[in-house]
Amino acid sequence: MFAFLCRRGLIVPPKHFNLLSHQNAVLFRLCTSSVCENAPENSFTVSYLINSCGLSSSDAVSASNKLFFKSPEKPDAVLNLLREFGFTDANITTLVTRWPNVLTARCPNKTLLPKLQFFQSIGVPLPVLSNKLSVFPFILKRSLENSITPLYKDLRKLLGSKEGAVHVFKQSPGTFGRCCSTGISSSISFLKERGVSQSTIVSLVIHQPVVLDFKKERLCVYVDRAVEMGFDLSASSFVRAMGVFLSMKDSTLKRKMEVYRSCGWSESDIRVAFLRHPVCMYTSEEKIMACMGFLVDEIGCEPGAIAQCPALLMYSLDKRLKPRCLVARVLDEKGLLKKTIPGMYTLLKLSEKLFLRRCIDKYKKDVPELPEIYRGKSSLGL
C-alpha cells in the first residue's frame, strides 16, 4: 500500500523530500487536504498547471476540476502554438486561469491556429494580440467563419479601412467575443433611423466601440436622453455624451449630478456643463468637491460661471489650478495681470507652453522669483 501511494504521488518517501520544489511541496500539501479529493486523478494536471502555466496552487486546483489530462503532449502543443504568436508566460497564466480548457483544445492547429493567423493577417501586432486574447479568451471560442470574419468585414466596410476594424479590436476586444454581424447592422440601422449621420456613427464606433455591444433598446434610451438634454446628433459632443452614458451606470451619473448640486450648481448649470463638456461627469466626486471648493471659496468664482467652463474641473488641482492662480495673484498685485490675460478662465485653460511664455517668461525681469513661485518652491501659497 505504501509503495502504491508513493507511485500515485500521495506519499513521498523521505529520501526524496529534497527533490521537491517549493511549488510541488505546496501541491503535496493541497492534495493531502479535503480541497483535492480527487487528487490521484488530477495530481498530474495540477502539477502541469503550476509548473508549465504558472498558475498559483489554488488556481491550479480549481482549474483541474474543469479539465483532465494524463500526459503533456496535448497541452504542450497548445502552449507551443501560443508562444509562436507572442504569448508570454504572463499571458499564458492569465489565459489558462480564465479559460483552462484551452489546454485540451481539439486539434489546435485546426481550431486555434486559423483564428490567430486571421488576426495577424489583418494587422493586429502580436504583442497586442497576445495581451488582448489572454484577457478575452472567449474570442477564441467563436467561429472564425460565422462570427469573427463577418464581424470584421462589416466593421471594415463601416469604418472604411481594415485599420479601423483593428482599432476596434484594440480598444474593445470584447466586441469580437460578444457581437455578431447582424447585431451591428441592427444597431447601425437604428442610429441612422434616429437621425445620426454616417460620419457621426463612424466617430462613435471609433471613439466608443463599446456601443456595438449594446442592444437597440438600450441605445434608444441613451439617444433619447441626449436629445432631451439638447445635444445635436451630428455634433462631436453627442459622441462624448454617448460615451458617458455607455460607460457609466445610471446610479453613478445621478450621484455625480447630486455632488454638483451640493457645490452650488442649479439644474440649468448641470445641463449647460454637460452640453459643453460631457466628460466632466468622469471627474471623481472627491475631485469635483476639491476643485469647486478651491475655485469658489479661495478664488471667488461663481459656481454658475464654472459651469460655463466645466473643463476646468478636469485639470489637476495641485499641478495646474493652484500654481496658476498663485501666479495670477502675484501678477495682479504687481498690476501686470490685465496686460497679459483677459480673464482667470483663459489663464487656466492656456496650454502649458503658452502659459509659460505669456505669464512666466515675459515677466521674469519684473518678478524674478516668478518661476520658483510657479514650481512651488517659494514661501507663498494658496
Side-chain angles (χ1 to χ4, degrees):
M1 177 61 73
F2 182 82
F4 171 78
L5 292 175
C6 287
R7 289 195 298 273
R8 301 295 288 180
L10 294 178
I11 296 180
V12 181
K15 67 179 181 179
H16 294 299
F17 279 171
N18 61 338
L19 299 179
L20 283 173
S21 66
H22 172 69
Q23 288 179 324
N24 285 336
V26 174
L27 173 61
F28 174 75
R29 290 196 298 272
L30 282 170
C31 289
T32 55
S33 69
S34 60
V35 176
C36 194
E37 295 176 356
N38 56 349
E41 290 76 18
N42 284 3
S43 59
F44 175 80
T45 303
V46 175
S47 178
Y48 186 92
L49 291 170
I50 292 173
N51 296 318
S52 298
C53 303
L55 271 66
S56 68
S57 300
S58 58
D59 285 342
V61 171
S62 176
S64 70
N65 294 323
K66 303 174 185 178
L67 72 162
F68 172 71
F69 41 80
K70 294 182 179 180
S71 67
E73 283 76 17
K74 181 175 287 187
D76 276 354
V78 172
L79 295 184
N80 290 336
L81 175 61
L82 294 174
R83 290 190 175 102
E84 287 178 10
F85 281 84
F87 281 73
T88 64
D89 290 344
N91 293 149
I92 288 173
T93 298
T94 302
L95 172 58
V96 175
T97 301
R98 290 172 176 264
W99 184 30
N101 289 100
V102 68
L103 296 174
T104 56
R106 182 176 299 177
C107 302
N109 283 337
K110 293 183 179 180
T111 55
L112 299 177
L113 178 60
K115 297 169 189 176
L116 295 170
Q117 289 176 327
F118 170 80
F119 283 112
Q120 183 183 32
S121 70
I122 65 174
V124 179
L126 291 186
V128 173
L129 182 63
S130 58
N131 286 334
K132 300 302 182 182
L133 292 182
S134 62
V135 178
F136 299 92
F138 49 86
I139 297 172
L140 294 172
K141 299 182 184 181
R142 307 207 75 183
S143 167
L144 179 61
E145 294 77 15
N146 299 325
S147 296
I148 296 176
T149 301
L151 176 61
Y152 163 73
K153 289 181 178 179
D154 277 359
L155 285 172
R156 186 179 62 184
K157 181 179 179 181
L158 171 67
L159 302 176
S161 67
K162 71 175 185 179
E163 288 77 16
V166 170
H167 173 80
V168 171
F169 177 81
K170 291 179 178 179
Q171 297 300 313
S172 183
T175 298
F176 279 80
R178 291 186 292 266
C179 289
C180 60
S181 178
T182 54
I184 285 185
S185 299
S186 176
S187 298
I188 299 306
S189 297
F190 163 75
L191 290 172
K192 288 181 177 179
E193 290 170 3
R194 292 305 307 273
V196 183
S197 67
Q198 177 75 11
S199 61
T200 301
I201 292 174
V202 169
S203 180
L204 184 60
V205 173
I206 286 292
H207 293 97
Q208 305 293 339
V210 70
V211 68
L212 300 173
D213 293 349
F214 284 77
K215 293 182 179 180
K216 181 170 67 174
E217 294 75 16
R218 198 61 186 163
L219 288 179
C220 180
V221 172
Y222 294 148
V223 173
D224 286 346
R225 185 182 298 173
V227 171
E228 182 182 344
M229 294 187 75
F231 282 95
D232 179 351
L233 298 186
S234 63
S236 59
S237 59
F238 166 72
V239 174
R240 293 193 291 272
M242 285 293 288
V244 172
F245 297 147
L246 293 166
S247 63
M248 189 176 293
K249 292 181 179 179
D250 289 348
S251 59
T252 303
L253 185 58
K254 289 178 181 178
R255 194 168 63 247
K256 295 285 182 72
M257 291 182 176
E258 186 57 39
V259 172
Y260 280 121
R261 291 187 191 97
S262 70
C263 292
W265 280 8
S266 65
E267 296 302 316
S268 176
D269 290 333
I270 292 174
R271 183 182 294 271
V272 166
F274 194 75
L275 280 169
R276 286 177 175 269
H277 200 64
V279 295
C280 70
M281 292 299 169
Y282 287 135
T283 306
S284 70
E285 295 170 37
E286 294 76 12
K287 188 177 180 184
I288 291 173
M289 296 180 70
C291 289
M292 287 289 289
F294 172 75
L295 291 171
V296 174
D297 299 333
E298 300 292 334
I299 305 303
C301 301
E302 291 294 330
I306 300 172
Q308 298 290 328
C309 192
L312 294 179
L313 301 173
M314 306 294 289
Y315 298 143
S316 169
L317 180 59
D318 294 322
K319 295 181 179 180
R320 187 176 188 124
L321 298 184
K322 285 186 176 181
R324 292 195 180 190
C325 287
L326 182 56
V327 167
R329 190 181 79 180
V330 172
L331 292 177
D332 183 55
E333 290 173 351
K334 300 285 185 179
L336 302 170
L337 180 62
K338 292 182 180 179
K339 296 179 181 179
T340 20
I341 304 299
M344 179 64 72
Y345 296 113
T346 301
L347 178 146
L348 294 174
K349 291 191 299 180
L350 283 175
S351 69
E352 184 70 5
K353 183 177 180 180
L354 281 177
F355 179 80
L356 290 174
R357 188 174 73 192
R358 294 183 184 181
C359 300
I360 303 296
D361 296 339
K362 187 173 182 178
Y363 290 95
K364 282 191 294 186
K365 289 184 179 179
D366 300 284
V367 189
E369 67 274 20
L370 203 56
E372 290 191 353
I373 291 174
Y374 184 54
R375 297 189 190 100
K377 295 182 180 181
S378 76
S379 59
L380 293 175
L382 281 174

